[in-house]
Amino acid sequence: MPTISGAGFVVTTLNKILAIAGVAIVLGGVALGFRSVSAGGTVCGSAFQPAAGITPMSCDNALNGAGTLVTIVISAGVLCLIAAAAVKVVRDKVNA
């Protein structure tokens, strides 16, 4: 059974933290996408599904802002997952 050195333990822990954080951030972004937004007392719906029958111009800024926030948060989560995969690939190449 191979033993994990001090540096190997740190890299493994970093990999797990990045993966868990990435998944949590992506799920948080998805949850934000379903959060209802409003503008001037008008319920605009969510970033994923605007409300039916709303005046488009009254909710444009609120929905655009919500969509931008969701995109940024999900992108940050995906970047964490990519970083976790990169750390794993580098670790595997070094240990090979």
Side-chain angles (χ1 to χ4, degrees), residues 21-63:
V23 169
I25 293 171
V26 167
L27 291 177
V30 170
L32 280 174
F34 288 109
R35 182 181 59 115
S36 183
V37 295
S38 61
T42 303
V43 177
C44 301
S46 69
F48 292 149
Q49 184 169 4
I54 59 171
T55 304
M57 288 190 290
S58 66
C59 289
D60 279 349
N61 288 335
L63 290 173

Side-chain angles (χ1 to χ4, degrees), residues 37-90:
V37 295
S38 61
T42 303
V43 177
C44 301
S46 69
F48 292 149
Q49 184 169 4
I54 59 171
T55 304
M57 288 190 290
S58 66
C59 289
D60 279 349
N61 288 335
L63 290 173
N64 285 339
T68 301
L69 179 64
V70 168
T71 302
I72 290 171
V73 172
I74 290 176
S75 297
V78 169
L79 287 175
C80 283
L81 291 171
I82 290 170
V87 167
K88 180 171 178 17
V89 167
V90 169

